[in-house]
Amino acid sequence: MREFFHVAWSRHRLAALVCAALTLAVAVASSSLVSEHYAVEALVFIAEPVAVHRLANPAARLPEATQELAEVRELLMSRDSLVALVKRSGLLDQWDLGRPWALRQKDRLQAAVLGPVSDKDRLEVLVKMLERRLDVVVDGPKVRLTADWMSPDVALSLVQTQLGALMQLRVRREARLVDSAALALDDQYDALRKQMALRAERIETALKDPSGWQTVQRELEQLEHERGRAATLMVQSEEKHIAGDVFRSSNSLRFTVLAPPARPKHPEGLPLAARVLVALFSSALAAVVCVLILALSSGRLYSRGQVERELGLPVRATLVHGSGGLLSSPSRAGLLLAFGLALATGAAVGLSGAQAPSVLPPLAIIALWLVWTRPLKWPLLAIIFVGIIADDPTGRAYAGMWRSPLFAVGRLLFTNIALLTGFELLFYALAGVMVVRRVWADRRSSHVDPVRGQAPLPLQAAVALSAAVIGVLVLSGLARGGIFREALWQFRGLLLLPVVASLLMYALDLPRDLPKLLGVLVVGSVIKAGFGAWFIYLVATPQGLDPPFTSGHQDTMLFVTAAVTAVAMLWEHPSRRTLALALLWLPVIALAIKLNDRRIAYVEIALAMGTIYLLSPWNLMKRFVTRVAVLLLPLVLAYVAVGWNVSNGRFFAPVQKVRSIFSPQVNSEEESSNLERDIENYNIMTTWKENMIIGQGFGHAFKEHVAGYDFGQSNFGHVGHNSILWLLWIGGLLGFTGVLLYLAVALYFLGRTFERSRDWRERAALLVSLSIILTYLLQAFGDMGTQSALIDFFVASAVAIIGRLATRNQAWRLPPAPVAA
């Protein structure tokens, strides 16, 4: 590689200089189209002045700010509010303030040719700009106002104006409504008083007539009723007037400005010196990548090392060429690609302000080259590792109370990008690379990935069948009137799993890559556990918060797998070294399971340990565990019996956790949750009976035969918490079998491989794979286990481990080796 770079650089020096100069020139030109931006922020805490309301009217209902806070963003960012903001801030008169020189010249040219821009058009443009550069974020009782503008004074004015509008929302809306209600009550009171006066006159007239006593009695009864009604109206009117006065007088007490807006001193982005350095670095990087493109597109470079490696003979002499090798001219396509890369890099440098996006074009070229020329396992392991440690916004990571440093990465990978998430785009792209390598592989690319020793053909066919059946269920569901948007949400997790499994079965060279794969899973779980502990002890606890979980429900699979990995290693190879290695992460994982507070995690660990115990032969650890269990059984039974009905105390907390699963206490949260799941399962199974064989297909919702709260949580029946029953309803018996058949095939090969393997590392990996599949089925049965990309990574890894080790241990017949010519 060193000779390759030396020869390539010596040959394409002029092209490298041209690429660097072109990058700098385009960067300077494009930077003139971008103005500097100044950011201003204000943070406001809103709390209702309860004491003022109580003192003013102790009997009145306290106003609630919850609904008002929910509508703050919509009200402040509405079109009418933005139009008013443009007019109050005088933005129409400051059109050219902060506008780049190039755009000002464009405006002058446009005005000379087409005439000046009307105020109406400018108003529309400014409203669109405000929609992009203003933001209102409501986080509990806190409201964050931000503005990003070309002028620091205008940015400050925008935030101050929005802050004033926020503080006047109550006065403009609720106080006005209260005043209107008070005036309406006053009108009713006045009308009733007039009616009572007329009724009194009629009574006086009837008293003069001896025959009018019945009329007098009836009128007196009506007058007494109206007197009570008038008193009620007077009290209600006074309450409304008092409430309106309290709203106006106490409005300023509701707001505490935690971070007042301040005029920014410096524009956003890097300082000028740093921008120059980034621009120079980007130009140099673009030049290097251009040289690589030209070298790779100009034919074979023959160096001393290449000849000796290919022929196995020492090179005694070399043919000296102008650039050090036997070369051909670069192609036109290579030149166009190299100079196009320089243009793209320069534009990125200028338009992004010489920040991180400026190096994306050359880095993208390098990344694509590495993906194509290096083994596919490296990008796969890297993506899985990032997916493990990053936040998952769709699972409300850290209960929405905190964001780890990798929140932005998680939002990019777990959320939609043009119908597909970032993970789906990456894995489908790598799947395309895999297909190209397998179909159009030449002699060089066939040695990049471990083609020999692939998973058994029945397992590969079962994985492919799962993807095909999912496609059929999507088409059949849409043909029956299903909604594609809902179908996409339903099947995306199920479809991603066979894709990732196929990639891992193709790319991993097992057992050689076992330490890498298990290292990614374990190290990622430890980092995620560290994030969870940081959130609980350094973020939530100091603020007096009690979050229901840490990183999310899908991380149960992560922590359970890490714990079972430590136990499986000790189970198959009990030694001091193994024990010391397991203790590096097992205590951290135990803490993470406790802090994440998911009952299903304990069930999954118990089931995995029990299955491992039953599956394993009578080795040293199984005899030891059996003897200890027999000795401790009376104590454990007594401990459970005593602590079953003890609701308080940490000593019996494990027993209460077990009881909450099987027999929760009456009127507890666990009992309510179990009841709602039973109702939802009944609705799914009752709907499944309508089409038991072929199912309904994706894009539909099950029917709510019995009303339950979980129906709304399940997106009104489109996704069931019990993914097993839900998939049985979606695909019927045929579809359910086709989608999950590969799990049964994988377990079949796991059983055959486990009894043949003699390497304890392989046996431990098989036990971990078994626990992953069991955990996946429990997660699917317990709470939407088929909807998480993170869970897909683990199940796909288990399938790949089983498949590759099955072939290595000849659990399935191998194809005959090719006969040498």
Side-chain angles (χ1 to χ4, degrees), residues 53 55 294 576:
H53 290 282
L55 291 173
L294 294 175
R576 292 182 179 179

Side-chain angles (χ1 to χ4, degrees), residues 57 123 339 387 430 486 498 504 538-540 542 552 556 577 635 653 658 701 769 772 783:
N57 192 351
L123 178 63
F339 294 136
L430 292 178
E486 303 295 343
L504 291 175
L538 297 179
V539 177
T556 302
R577 184 175 182 276
L635 294 177
V658 174
S769 302
I772 289 176
D783 196 358

